[in-house]
Structure formats: C-alpha cells, structure tokens
Amino acid sequence: MSEAVKSDVIQHVQQWLEDVVIGLNLCPFAAKPNRNKQIKIHVCETKSEEQLLEDIYQQIVTLDDTSAEELETTLVVAPNLFEHFDDYNQFLDLVDALIIQTGKEGTYQIASFHPDYCFYGTQPDDAENLTNRSPYPIFHLIREASMEKVLKHYPDPEGIPERNIECVEGLSPEQIRKLFPFLIK
C-alpha cells in the first residue's frame, strides 16, 4: 500500500469519525478525545488475518505502554481484509479470544464497524445498521476504565443505542448519501 493510499484511508476514517460518529453524536464520548488528538488510527496493510491479529495485539501493547491522557483509544483499520461482513464477524471471535488469552479482559473491549455491518435479527437495508457502518472494517480498542469513568457522569447510557437508531432512522436519503458515500456502489 502506498503512503498516498494509506493517507486516503486515514482521511476517510477521520471524516467518518467526525461526520458520523461525532457529528451525529452516535458516541457521545468521542468528541473530546478527537479534539485532544488522543485517537489513533492504525492502518493494517496486510491481507493476512494472522498478521492483523498480531497488529491488534501490538496496538493493545501500545495502549498498555501509553497513558490514556496521551492515547485514549485506537481504531485498527483493515482495508485489505473482510470484504464480507460474515468473515469480519467471525474474526471478532478471534479478537475476543486474544483479549482473554492476553489477560486483558476487563481492561479493553472491542467495538466493531464494517461497511456492511448488519445487526443480528435485522435486514441489510435496515437503517439501524448505519450506526456501525464505516468506510472500512474497523476494530475499535476501548479502554474499559475510561468508559467506566465517562459513563458515571453520563445520564442514561443505556438509552444510547435507542437514540442512535432513532437518529439514523430520521436521516433523509440525501443525508445518508452525504454521510455514507462509501455505501454507494
């Protein structure tokens, strides 16, 4: 992958983060770390699932070795893997196993995003899937201690998914095209 292509991937993810995740307030906790430049976007250039798993592990080590004040969270982007959501979804089991095997359960959790994200029990075209649709397959490494800290001061965190669904269901077709250009094929 050339540096120009890698730069484009980072720019697309940053745009999605700012316009969709923060702009629609799908994650009410993302604006501050984004503003403070505490979100790392790591592009994994490999076409190998084994190498991606190693990259995710290395990003966990980096989070371990870096204070939350400097690096709050990491988005591991896999632009060359998981064209199909089912393959991505199955790989998530390996990522969860990695967290358990490395003794990081309770320290980190994974949030998942994919261009074709489809929640269990929904149809692919259901609007609620937009809450987890991204320009590329992404594995979001979240510090659980940081989440616990912000959730203590956030009213009704249990209502976030429902509010997010209402938000994306209220988007016009024009807004969807503008916010999710990567979905137009």
Side-chain angles (χ1 to χ4, degrees), residues 103-161:
K104 300 301 176 184
E105 189 174 27
T107 303
Y108 300 107
Q109 61 180 266
I110 301 293
S112 53
F113 302 93
H114 187 278
D116 296 322
Y117 202 97
C118 190
F119 287 104
Y120 179 78
T122 66
Q123 296 300 310
D125 291 338
D126 288 352
E128 69 187 79
N129 294 314
L130 293 173
T131 64
N132 286 60
R133 295 233 168 131
S134 59
Y136 306 97
I138 297 175
F139 302 87
H140 180 193
L141 302 172
I142 302 168
R143 295 177 188 265
E144 288 202 13
S146 295
M147 282 304 296
E148 289 171 11
K149 190 173 163 184
V150 295
L151 287 173
K152 283 182 187 175
H153 306 289
Y154 189 81
D156 189 30
E158 296 81 18
I160 292 171

Short mmCIF file of all heavy atoms in Angstrom, two decimals, residues 103-161:
data_model
loop_
_atom_site.label_atom_id
_atom_site.label_comp_id
_atom_site.label_asym_id
_atom_site.label_seq_id
_atom_site.Cartn_x
_atom_site.Cartn_y
_atom_site.Cartn_z
N GLY A 103 -4.93 -11.77 28.96
CA GLY A 103 -5.27 -11.28 30.28
C GLY A 103 -5.79 -9.85 30.28
O GLY A 103 -5.75 -9.17 31.31
N LYS A 104 -6.30 -9.39 29.14
CA LYS A 104 -6.76 -8.01 29.02
C LYS A 104 -8.28 -7.87 29.12
O LYS A 104 -8.81 -6.78 28.94
CB LYS A 104 -6.26 -7.39 27.70
CG LYS A 104 -4.75 -7.36 27.59
CD LYS A 104 -4.14 -6.56 28.71
CE LYS A 104 -2.62 -6.60 28.65
NZ LYS A 104 -2.02 -5.92 29.79
N GLU A 105 -8.96 -8.97 29.42
CA GLU A 105 -10.41 -8.90 29.61
C GLU A 105 -10.67 -8.02 30.83
O GLU A 105 -10.04 -8.18 31.87
CB GLU A 105 -10.98 -10.30 29.83
CG GLU A 105 -12.48 -10.35 29.82
CD GLU A 105 -12.99 -11.78 29.90
OE1 GLU A 105 -12.30 -12.65 30.45
OE2 GLU A 105 -14.10 -12.00 29.42
N GLY A 106 -11.54 -7.06 30.69
CA GLY A 106 -11.79 -6.11 31.77
C GLY A 106 -10.91 -4.87 31.64
O GLY A 106 -11.16 -3.86 32.30
N THR A 107 -9.90 -4.94 30.77
CA THR A 107 -9.04 -3.78 30.51
C THR A 107 -9.43 -3.13 29.19
O THR A 107 -9.51 -1.90 29.10
CB THR A 107 -7.55 -4.21 30.46
OG1 THR A 107 -7.23 -4.85 31.69
CG2 THR A 107 -6.64 -3.01 30.25
N TYR A 108 -9.67 -3.96 28.18
CA TYR A 108 -10.06 -3.47 26.85
C TYR A 108 -11.30 -4.19 26.36
O TYR A 108 -11.55 -5.34 26.72
CB TYR A 108 -8.92 -3.68 25.83
CG TYR A 108 -7.66 -2.98 26.21
CD1 TYR A 108 -6.56 -3.68 26.68
CD2 TYR A 108 -7.57 -1.59 26.14
CE1 TYR A 108 -5.40 -3.03 27.06
CE2 TYR A 108 -6.41 -0.93 26.52
CZ TYR A 108 -5.33 -1.66 26.98
OH TYR A 108 -4.19 -1.01 27.37
N GLN A 109 -12.04 -3.49 25.55
CA GLN A 109 -13.16 -4.10 24.84
C GLN A 109 -13.08 -3.65 23.39
O GLN A 109 -12.41 -2.68 23.06
CB GLN A 109 -14.50 -3.73 25.47
CG GLN A 109 -14.81 -2.25 25.47
CD GLN A 109 -16.15 -1.95 26.10
OE1 GLN A 109 -17.15 -1.86 25.40
NE2 GLN A 109 -16.15 -1.78 27.43
N ILE A 110 -13.78 -4.38 22.54
CA ILE A 110 -13.77 -4.10 21.11
C ILE A 110 -15.15 -3.60 20.69
O ILE A 110 -16.17 -4.19 21.04
CB ILE A 110 -13.46 -5.37 20.29
CG1 ILE A 110 -12.11 -5.97 20.69
CG2 ILE A 110 -13.50 -5.09 18.79
CD1 ILE A 110 -10.92 -5.15 20.34
N ALA A 111 -15.15 -2.50 19.95
CA ALA A 111 -16.36 -2.07 19.24
C ALA A 111 -16.09 -2.36 17.77
O ALA A 111 -14.96 -2.20 17.29
CB ALA A 111 -16.63 -0.59 19.47
N SER A 112 -17.10 -2.80 17.06
CA SER A 112 -16.89 -3.27 15.69
C SER A 112 -17.66 -2.43 14.68
O SER A 112 -18.81 -2.04 14.92
CB SER A 112 -17.30 -4.74 15.58
OG SER A 112 -18.61 -4.94 16.06
N PHE A 113 -16.99 -2.19 13.55
CA PHE A 113 -17.56 -1.38 12.47
C PHE A 113 -17.15 -1.99 11.13
O PHE A 113 -16.02 -2.47 10.98
CB PHE A 113 -17.05 0.07 12.55
CG PHE A 113 -17.36 0.72 13.86
CD1 PHE A 113 -16.44 0.69 14.89
CD2 PHE A 113 -18.58 1.35 14.07
CE1 PHE A 113 -16.72 1.27 16.12
CE2 PHE A 113 -18.87 1.94 15.29
CZ PHE A 113 -17.94 1.90 16.32
N HIS A 114 -18.06 -1.96 10.18
CA HIS A 114 -17.81 -2.57 8.86
C HIS A 114 -18.74 -1.89 7.86
O HIS A 114 -19.86 -1.49 8.21
CB HIS A 114 -18.10 -4.08 8.93
CG HIS A 114 -17.73 -4.83 7.71
ND1 HIS A 114 -18.53 -4.88 6.60
CD2 HIS A 114 -16.62 -5.57 7.41
CE1 HIS A 114 -17.95 -5.62 5.67
NE2 HIS A 114 -16.78 -6.05 6.15
N PRO A 115 -18.32 -1.77 6.58
CA PRO A 115 -19.20 -1.15 5.58
C PRO A 115 -20.54 -1.84 5.42
O PRO A 115 -21.54 -1.20 5.06
CB PRO A 115 -18.37 -1.23 4.29
CG PRO A 115 -16.97 -1.39 4.72
CD PRO A 115 -17.01 -2.11 6.04
N ASP A 116 -20.60 -3.14 5.67
CA ASP A 116 -21.84 -3.90 5.52
C ASP A 116 -22.37 -4.41 6.86
O ASP A 116 -23.06 -5.45 6.91
CB ASP A 116 -21.62 -5.09 4.57
CG ASP A 116 -21.28 -4.65 3.16
OD1 ASP A 116 -21.87 -3.65 2.70
OD2 ASP A 116 -20.42 -5.29 2.53
N TYR A 117 -22.05 -3.69 7.93
CA TYR A 117 -22.46 -4.14 9.27
C TYR A 117 -23.95 -4.45 9.28
O TYR A 117 -24.77 -3.70 8.74
CB TYR A 117 -22.18 -3.05 10.30
CG TYR A 117 -22.07 -3.62 11.69
CD1 TYR A 117 -20.84 -3.91 12.25
CD2 TYR A 117 -23.21 -3.90 12.45
CE1 TYR A 117 -20.73 -4.46 13.52
CE2 TYR A 117 -23.11 -4.44 13.71
CZ TYR A 117 -21.87 -4.72 14.24
OH TYR A 117 -21.77 -5.27 15.49
N CYS A 118 -24.31 -5.57 9.90
CA CYS A 118 -25.70 -5.98 9.98
C CYS A 118 -25.94 -6.62 11.35
O CYS A 118 -25.39 -7.68 11.65
CB CYS A 118 -26.02 -6.96 8.86
SG CYS A 118 -27.78 -7.31 8.69
N PHE A 119 -26.72 -5.95 12.18
CA PHE A 119 -27.04 -6.49 13.49
C PHE A 119 -27.87 -7.76 13.36
O PHE A 119 -28.68 -7.89 12.44
CB PHE A 119 -27.83 -5.46 14.33
CG PHE A 119 -27.00 -4.33 14.82
CD1 PHE A 119 -27.08 -3.08 14.23
CD2 PHE A 119 -26.13 -4.49 15.90
CE1 PHE A 119 -26.32 -2.02 14.69
CE2 PHE A 119 -25.37 -3.44 16.36
CZ PHE A 119 -25.46 -2.20 15.76
N TYR A 120 -27.68 -8.67 14.29
CA TYR A 120 -28.44 -9.90 14.32
C TYR A 120 -29.93 -9.56 14.37
O TYR A 120 -30.37 -8.71 15.14
CB TYR A 120 -28.06 -10.74 15.54
CG TYR A 120 -28.83 -12.02 15.64
CD1 TYR A 120 -28.50 -13.11 14.84
CD2 TYR A 120 -29.90 -12.14 16.51
CE1 TYR A 120 -29.22 -14.29 14.90
CE2 TYR A 120 -30.63 -13.32 16.59
CZ TYR A 120 -30.28 -14.39 15.78
OH TYR A 120 -31.00 -15.55 15.85
N GLY A 121 -30.71 -10.21 13.53
CA GLY A 121 -32.16 -10.00 13.52
C GLY A 121 -32.61 -8.85 12.64
O GLY A 121 -33.80 -8.56 12.58
N THR A 122 -31.65 -8.16 11.98
CA THR A 122 -32.04 -7.07 11.08
C THR A 122 -31.82 -7.50 9.63
O THR A 122 -31.11 -8.47 9.35
CB THR A 122 -31.23 -5.79 11.35
OG1 THR A 122 -29.85 -6.02 11.02
CG2 THR A 122 -31.36 -5.32 12.79
N GLN A 123 -32.41 -6.74 8.74
CA GLN A 123 -32.17 -6.92 7.31
C GLN A 123 -31.03 -5.98 6.90
O GLN A 123 -30.86 -4.91 7.51
CB GLN A 123 -33.44 -6.59 6.52
CG GLN A 123 -34.60 -7.52 6.79
CD GLN A 123 -34.27 -8.96 6.46
OE1 GLN A 123 -33.76 -9.27 5.38
NE2 GLN A 123 -34.53 -9.87 7.40
N PRO A 124 -30.25 -6.33 5.89
CA PRO A 124 -29.12 -5.49 5.49
C PRO A 124 -29.48 -4.02 5.22
O PRO A 124 -28.68 -3.12 5.49
CB PRO A 124 -28.59 -6.16 4.22
CG PRO A 124 -28.97 -7.60 4.39
CD PRO A 124 -30.30 -7.57 5.12
N ASP A 125 -30.68 -3.76 4.73
CA ASP A 125 -31.06 -2.38 4.41
C ASP A 125 -31.69 -1.63 5.58
O ASP A 125 -32.07 -0.47 5.43
CB ASP A 125 -32.02 -2.35 3.21
CG ASP A 125 -31.33 -2.75 1.91
OD1 ASP A 125 -30.09 -2.63 1.84
OD2 ASP A 125 -32.03 -3.18 0.97
N ASP A 126 -31.83 -2.27 6.74
CA ASP A 126 -32.42 -1.59 7.90
C ASP A 126 -31.52 -0.44 8.33
O ASP A 126 -30.29 -0.59 8.46
CB ASP A 126 -32.62 -2.55 9.07
CG ASP A 126 -33.76 -3.54 8.83
OD1 ASP A 126 -34.50 -3.39 7.82
OD2 ASP A 126 -33.90 -4.48 9.64
N ALA A 127 -32.12 0.71 8.57
CA ALA A 127 -31.38 1.92 8.91
C ALA A 127 -30.51 1.75 10.15
O ALA A 127 -29.42 2.31 10.22
CB ALA A 127 -32.34 3.10 9.09
N GLU A 128 -30.96 0.98 11.12
CA GLU A 128 -30.19 0.87 12.37
C GLU A 128 -28.78 0.33 12.15
O GLU A 128 -27.88 0.60 12.94
CB GLU A 128 -30.94 0.04 13.42
CG GLU A 128 -31.07 -1.42 13.10
CD GLU A 128 -31.98 -2.13 14.10
OE1 GLU A 128 -33.21 -2.01 13.96
OE2 GLU A 128 -31.44 -2.76 15.03
N ASN A 129 -28.56 -0.39 11.06
CA ASN A 129 -27.22 -0.88 10.77
C ASN A 129 -26.23 0.25 10.49
O ASN A 129 -25.02 0.08 10.64
CB ASN A 129 -27.25 -1.86 9.59
CG ASN A 129 -28.00 -3.13 9.93
OD1 ASN A 129 -27.82 -3.71 10.99
ND2 ASN A 129 -28.89 -3.54 9.03
N LEU A 130 -26.75 1.41 10.10
CA LEU A 130 -25.88 2.56 9.83
C LEU A 130 -25.07 2.98 11.05
O LEU A 130 -23.99 3.56 10.90
CB LEU A 130 -26.71 3.76 9.33
CG LEU A 130 -27.37 3.61 7.97
CD1 LEU A 130 -28.29 4.80 7.70
CD2 LEU A 130 -26.34 3.46 6.86
N THR A 131 -25.56 2.68 12.24
CA THR A 131 -24.83 3.09 13.45
C THR A 131 -23.45 2.45 13.53
O THR A 131 -22.56 2.98 14.19
CB THR A 131 -25.62 2.76 14.74
OG1 THR A 131 -25.77 1.34 14.85
CG2 THR A 131 -26.97 3.44 14.77
N ASN A 132 -23.26 1.31 12.86
CA ASN A 132 -21.97 0.61 12.90
C ASN A 132 -21.35 0.42 11.51
O ASN A 132 -20.47 -0.40 11.34
CB ASN A 132 -22.13 -0.75 13.59
CG ASN A 132 -22.29 -0.61 15.07
OD1 ASN A 132 -23.23 0.03 15.55
ND2 ASN A 132 -21.38 -1.18 15.83
N ARG A 133 -21.81 1.24 10.57
CA ARG A 133 -21.23 1.16 9.22
C ARG A 133 -20.10 2.18 9.10
O ARG A 133 -20.25 3.32 9.51
CB ARG A 133 -22.30 1.39 8.16
CG ARG A 133 -23.35 0.30 8.18
CD ARG A 133 -23.57 -0.32 6.85
NE ARG A 133 -24.36 -1.53 6.95
CZ ARG A 133 -25.42 -1.78 6.19
NH1 ARG A 133 -25.80 -0.90 5.29
NH2 ARG A 133 -26.06 -2.93 6.33
N SER A 134 -19.01 1.72 8.55
CA SER A 134 -17.80 2.54 8.42
C SER A 134 -17.21 2.34 7.03
O SER A 134 -17.58 1.41 6.33
CB SER A 134 -16.79 2.12 9.49
OG SER A 134 -16.48 0.75 9.34
N PRO A 135 -16.27 3.21 6.63
CA PRO A 135 -15.73 3.07 5.28
C PRO A 135 -14.90 1.81 5.06
O PRO A 135 -14.75 1.35 3.92
CB PRO A 135 -14.86 4.32 5.10
CG PRO A 135 -14.74 4.96 6.42
CD PRO A 135 -15.80 4.40 7.31
N TYR A 136 -14.36 1.24 6.14
CA TYR A 136 -13.53 0.02 6.08
C TYR A 136 -13.84 -0.82 7.31
O TYR A 136 -14.37 -0.30 8.30
CB TYR A 136 -12.04 0.37 6.10
CG TYR A 136 -11.64 1.35 5.04
CD1 TYR A 136 -11.52 2.70 5.35
CD2 TYR A 136 -11.38 0.94 3.74
CE1 TYR A 136 -11.16 3.62 4.37
CE2 TYR A 136 -11.02 1.85 2.76
CZ TYR A 136 -10.92 3.19 3.08
OH TYR A 136 -10.57 4.10 2.12
N PRO A 137 -13.45 -2.09 7.32
CA PRO A 137 -13.55 -2.86 8.56
C PRO A 137 -12.66 -2.22 9.63
O PRO A 137 -11.49 -1.92 9.38
CB PRO A 137 -13.02 -4.24 8.15
CG PRO A 137 -13.24 -4.32 6.66
CD PRO A 137 -13.00 -2.92 6.18
N ILE A 138 -13.23 -1.99 10.80
CA ILE A 138 -12.52 -1.32 11.89
C ILE A 138 -12.75 -2.08 13.19
O ILE A 138 -13.86 -2.51 13.49
CB ILE A 138 -13.00 0.14 12.06
CG1 ILE A 138 -12.68 0.96 10.82
CG2 ILE A 138 -12.38 0.79 13.31
CD1 ILE A 138 -13.23 2.38 10.84
N PHE A 139 -11.66 -2.22 13.94
CA PHE A 139 -11.70 -2.80 15.28
C PHE A 139 -11.31 -1.67 16.24
O PHE A 139 -10.18 -1.20 16.21
CB PHE A 139 -10.71 -3.97 15.39
CG PHE A 139 -10.98 -5.05 14.38
CD1 PHE A 139 -10.42 -4.99 13.12
CD2 PHE A 139 -11.81 -6.11 14.69
CE1 PHE A 139 -10.67 -5.97 12.17
CE2 PHE A 139 -12.07 -7.10 13.76
CZ PHE A 139 -11.51 -7.03 12.49
N HIS A 140 -12.26 -1.25 17.03
CA HIS A 140 -12.04 -0.12 17.95
C HIS A 140 -11.64 -0.65 19.32
O HIS A 140 -12.45 -1.30 19.99
CB HIS A 140 -13.32 0.71 18.03
CG HIS A 140 -13.23 1.88 18.93
ND1 HIS A 140 -14.32 2.59 19.32
CD2 HIS A 140 -12.16 2.49 19.51
CE1 HIS A 140 -13.95 3.58 20.13
NE2 HIS A 140 -12.64 3.52 20.25
N LEU A 141 -10.41 -0.39 19.71
CA LEU A 141 -9.91 -0.82 21.02
C LEU A 141 -10.24 0.26 22.04
O LEU A 141 -9.75 1.39 21.95
CB LEU A 141 -8.39 -1.03 20.95
CG LEU A 141 -7.91 -2.04 19.92
CD1 LEU A 141 -6.38 -2.02 19.82
CD2 LEU A 141 -8.39 -3.43 20.27
N ILE A 142 -11.07 -0.10 23.01
CA ILE A 142 -11.58 0.85 24.01
C ILE A 142 -11.03 0.47 25.38
O ILE A 142 -11.11 -0.69 25.79
CB ILE A 142 -13.12 0.81 24.05
CG1 ILE A 142 -13.70 1.14 22.67
CG2 ILE A 142 -13.66 1.75 25.12
CD1 ILE A 142 -15.18 0.85 22.54
N ARG A 143 -10.54 1.47 26.10
CA ARG A 143 -10.11 1.26 27.48
C ARG A 143 -11.36 1.19 28.36
O ARG A 143 -12.12 2.15 28.43
CB ARG A 143 -9.23 2.42 27.95
CG ARG A 143 -7.91 2.56 27.24
CD ARG A 143 -7.19 3.80 27.78
NE ARG A 143 -6.00 4.12 27.02
CZ ARG A 143 -4.78 3.74 27.34
NH1 ARG A 143 -4.58 2.99 28.41
NH2 ARG A 143 -3.74 4.09 26.59
N GLU A 144 -11.56 0.08 29.03
CA GLU A 144 -12.76 -0.06 29.87
C GLU A 144 -12.76 0.93 31.03
O GLU A 144 -13.82 1.45 31.39
CB GLU A 144 -12.90 -1.50 30.36
CG GLU A 144 -13.32 -2.42 29.24
CD GLU A 144 -13.98 -3.70 29.71
OE1 GLU A 144 -14.36 -3.80 30.89
OE2 GLU A 144 -14.13 -4.60 28.87
N ALA A 145 -11.61 1.22 31.60
CA ALA A 145 -11.55 2.17 32.72
C ALA A 145 -12.01 3.55 32.27
O ALA A 145 -12.71 4.25 33.01
CB ALA A 145 -10.13 2.24 33.29
N SER A 146 -11.64 3.93 31.07
CA SER A 146 -12.07 5.23 30.55
C SER A 146 -13.58 5.26 30.31
O SER A 146 -14.24 6.26 30.60
CB SER A 146 -11.34 5.55 29.24
OG SER A 146 -9.96 5.69 29.46
N MET A 147 -14.11 4.15 29.80
CA MET A 147 -15.56 4.08 29.59
C MET A 147 -16.31 4.17 30.91
O MET A 147 -17.29 4.90 31.02
CB MET A 147 -15.95 2.80 28.86
CG MET A 147 -15.69 2.82 27.38
SD MET A 147 -16.51 4.18 26.51
CE MET A 147 -18.20 3.78 26.77
N GLU A 148 -15.84 3.44 31.90
CA GLU A 148 -16.50 3.48 33.21
C GLU A 148 -16.48 4.90 33.77
O GLU A 148 -17.47 5.35 34.35
CB GLU A 148 -15.80 2.53 34.18
CG GLU A 148 -16.05 1.07 33.85
CD GLU A 148 -15.19 0.11 34.67
OE1 GLU A 148 -14.53 0.55 35.64
OE2 GLU A 148 -15.18 -1.09 34.31
N LYS A 149 -15.38 5.59 33.58
CA LYS A 149 -15.23 6.95 34.09
C LYS A 149 -16.25 7.91 33.44
O LYS A 149 -16.92 8.66 34.13
CB LYS A 149 -13.80 7.42 33.80
CG LYS A 149 -13.40 8.70 34.45
CD LYS A 149 -11.90 8.90 34.21
CE LYS A 149 -11.47 10.31 34.45
NZ LYS A 149 -10.07 10.52 34.13
N VAL A 150 -16.37 7.87 32.11
CA VAL A 150 -17.29 8.78 31.44
C VAL A 150 -18.75 8.37 31.64
O VAL A 150 -19.63 9.22 31.70
CB VAL A 150 -16.98 8.98 29.94
CG1 VAL A 150 -15.63 9.65 29.75
CG2 VAL A 150 -17.06 7.69 29.16
N LEU A 151 -19.00 7.07 31.77
CA LEU A 151 -20.38 6.61 31.96
C LEU A 151 -20.94 7.04 33.31
O LEU A 151 -22.15 7.24 33.43
CB LEU A 151 -20.48 5.10 31.80
CG LEU A 151 -20.34 4.57 30.38
CD1 LEU A 151 -20.28 3.05 30.37
CD2 LEU A 151 -21.48 5.06 29.50
N LYS A 152 -20.08 7.20 34.29
CA LYS A 152 -20.54 7.66 35.62
C LYS A 152 -21.20 9.03 35.55
O LYS A 152 -22.06 9.35 36.35
CB LYS A 152 -19.36 7.74 36.60
CG LYS A 152 -18.90 6.42 37.13
CD LYS A 152 -17.76 6.64 38.12
CE LYS A 152 -17.18 5.32 38.55
NZ LYS A 152 -16.01 5.49 39.43
N HIS A 153 -20.76 9.84 34.60
CA HIS A 153 -21.23 11.22 34.50
C HIS A 153 -22.19 11.44 33.33
O HIS A 153 -22.52 12.57 33.03
CB HIS A 153 -20.04 12.17 34.37
CG HIS A 153 -19.04 11.99 35.48
ND1 HIS A 153 -19.28 12.38 36.77
CD2 HIS A 153 -17.81 11.42 35.48
CE1 HIS A 153 -18.24 12.07 37.52
NE2 HIS A 153 -17.33 11.48 36.77
N TYR A 154 -22.61 10.36 32.70
CA TYR A 154 -23.48 10.48 31.54
C TYR A 154 -24.88 10.00 31.90
O TYR A 154 -25.05 8.86 32.35
CB TYR A 154 -22.94 9.66 30.36
CG TYR A 154 -23.69 9.94 29.09
CD1 TYR A 154 -23.39 11.06 28.33
CD2 TYR A 154 -24.71 9.11 28.67
CE1 TYR A 154 -24.08 11.33 27.16
CE2 TYR A 154 -25.42 9.36 27.51
CZ TYR A 154 -25.09 10.48 26.76
OH TYR A 154 -25.79 10.76 25.62
N PRO A 155 -25.88 10.85 31.71
CA PRO A 155 -27.25 10.43 32.03
C PRO A 155 -27.77 9.41 31.01
O PRO A 155 -27.62 9.60 29.81
CB PRO A 155 -28.05 11.74 31.94
CG PRO A 155 -27.26 12.62 31.03
CD PRO A 155 -25.81 12.22 31.19
N ASP A 156 -28.32 8.34 31.53
CA ASP A 156 -28.98 7.32 30.71
C ASP A 156 -28.10 6.72 29.62
O ASP A 156 -28.45 6.75 28.44
CB ASP A 156 -30.27 7.89 30.10
CG ASP A 156 -31.10 6.82 29.41
OD1 ASP A 156 -31.05 5.64 29.84
OD2 ASP A 156 -31.80 7.15 28.43
N PRO A 157 -26.95 6.12 29.98
CA PRO A 157 -26.12 5.49 28.95
C PRO A 157 -26.81 4.30 28.29
O PRO A 157 -26.52 4.02 27.12
CB PRO A 157 -24.87 5.05 29.71
CG PRO A 157 -25.24 5.04 31.15
CD PRO A 157 -26.36 6.02 31.32
N GLU A 158 -27.74 3.66 29.00
CA GLU A 158 -28.46 2.53 28.41
C GLU A 158 -29.32 2.96 27.23
O GLU A 158 -29.67 2.15 26.37
CB GLU A 158 -29.34 1.83 29.46
CG GLU A 158 -28.57 1.20 30.59
CD GLU A 158 -28.15 2.18 31.69
OE1 GLU A 158 -28.72 3.29 31.79
OE2 GLU A 158 -27.21 1.85 32.43
N GLY A 159 -29.68 4.24 27.18
CA GLY A 159 -30.53 4.75 26.10
C GLY A 159 -29.78 5.12 24.84
O GLY A 159 -30.40 5.46 23.83
N ILE A 160 -28.44 5.06 24.87
CA ILE A 160 -27.64 5.48 23.71
C ILE A 160 -28.00 4.68 22.45
O ILE A 160 -28.25 5.27 21.40
CB ILE A 160 -26.13 5.41 24.01
CG1 ILE A 160 -25.76 6.48 25.05
CG2 ILE A 160 -25.31 5.60 22.74
CD1 ILE A 160 -24.34 6.39 25.59
N PRO A 161 -28.04 3.34 22.50
CA PRO A 161 -28.36 2.61 21.26
C PRO A 161 -29.72 3.00 20.67
O PRO A 161 -29.84 3.17 19.46
CB PRO A 161 -28.34 1.14 21.69
CG PRO A 161 -27.44 1.11 22.89
CD PRO A 161 -27.69 2.42 23.59
#
